[in-house]
Amino acid sequence: NYIEKKYNLKCLIKKNDVNNMIILQTPKMKIESNLSSGYLVFSFFNNKKHNKLLEFIKNIEDETSKVIKDNFKKKLILHSNITNDKKFIVNINNTTLPIFNNKNNSIDFNSVDINSDFICIMKLQGIWIDLNKKKFGLNWHICQIKVYPELDYNICYIEDSDDENIDERKIVNEFVVQKCLFCNSECT
């Protein structure tokens, strides 16, 4: 859950302020980059959990912008990690980043496929400021990633049964299976 309150972001300018760190866990997202590129890219989709996370990060950016405006004479422009098409892009250190599979076993970043689902823990490291380019931004650090593999369609998830009611639903490996009203077959 993302705490719904305004943060006093002056703490981000202080060094080593452990009491005011912002650490969050994302909902399930889709990896849209090859991790060996040194970047983690994912999109915010239009659902409740993603919208909450997007709003939370945008609120942090807005509050940081106010602090920057109050503390610097030059007008600085925010360079956001969030693009106009709602993609989040962050640098990662793919050699030291702990990555786990859905069974909590450590895996190599090379075994992570694009479009895999994942959850990550992110920590706000601080603010970067470039006075020459008149820009500033937030330094996000990806602390850990847990990857959920794509569904393997070479495995049959359909269960045969003639005794089920049409309205009955089953959950198979976190996927809802329903009976088709037209042909009476089950599908995911």
Side-chain angles (χ1 to χ4, degrees):
N1 291 335
Y2 307 106
I3 299 172
E4 308 250 347
K5 70 175 186 175
K6 296 287 182 187
Y7 283 85
N8 177 359
L9 291 184
K10 290 182 181 176
C11 65
L12 297 177
I13 295 175
K14 298 176 187 172
K15 291 184 178 179
N16 300 325
D17 190 356
V18 227
N19 296 325
N20 291 310
M21 283 197 293
I22 297 175
I23 299 173
L24 53 92
Q25 178 176 311
T26 66
K28 265 192 187 172
M29 314 292 272
K30 279 227 182 282
I31 294 177
E32 297 181 15
S33 62
N34 186 336
L35 296 185
S36 62
S37 70
Y39 293 95
L40 173 64
V41 179
F42 59 86
S43 292
F44 293 97
F45 295 107
N46 192 17
N47 67 46
K48 187 176 179 180
K49 289 181 180 180
H50 286 216
N51 289 340
K52 260 187 156 177
L53 177 61
L54 178 62
E55 181 184 349
F56 184 79
I57 293 172
K58 289 223 178 247
N59 284 342
I60 292 172
E61 290 179 341
D62 291 345
E63 292 297 318
T64 303
S65 294
K66 290 175 188 172
V67 171
I68 293 293
K69 185 179 178 183
D70 292 345
N71 287 288
F72 289 90
K73 292 178 183 176
K74 287 185 178 183
K75 184 178 178 182
L76 302 175
I77 298 169
L78 172 68
H79 179 80
S80 178
N81 293 81
I82 303 168
T83 64
N84 290 337
D85 55 350
K86 294 185 179 179
K87 289 189 186 299
F88 189 89
I89 302 171
V90 64
N91 290 326
I92 57 170
N93 184 342
N94 51 22
T95 57
T96 60
L97 177 64
I99 303 173
F100 300 91
N101 63 15
N102 59 332
K103 296 180 175 122
N104 297 331
N105 297 322
S106 182
I107 60 172
D108 185 63
F109 72 92
N110 289 319
S111 61
V112 178
D113 295 325
I114 296 176
N115 293 323
S116 293
D117 289 332
F118 77 99
I119 294 174
C120 75
I121 295 177
M122 300 174 22
K123 178 168 73 169
L124 184 57
Q125 291 285 95
I127 301 171
W128 62 266
I129 299 172
D130 187 334
L131 294 175
N132 293 329
K133 292 183 181 179
K134 297 181 181 177
K135 290 187 175 184
F136 73 96
L138 302 177
N139 282 328
W140 288 100
H141 172 70
I142 304 299
C143 303
Q144 190 176 90
I145 295 177
K146 184 172 184 178
V147 179
Y148 299 85
E150 287 191 79
L151 187 61
D152 183 358
Y153 290 106
N154 294 320
I155 298 171
C156 182
Y157 297 102
I158 300 170
E159 291 184 21
D160 296 328
S161 176
D162 295 333
D163 301 332
E164 293 179 8
N165 295 331
I166 291 175
D167 295 329
E168 187 173 317
R169 294 181 179 198
K170 298 179 198 170
I171 296 182
V172 178
N173 289 345
E174 296 184 25
F175 293 92
V176 176
V177 177
Q178 297 177 330
K179 260 201 176 176
C180 178
L181 295 173
F182 301 103
C183 65
N184 232 9
S185 66
E186 292 182 352
C187 55
T188 57

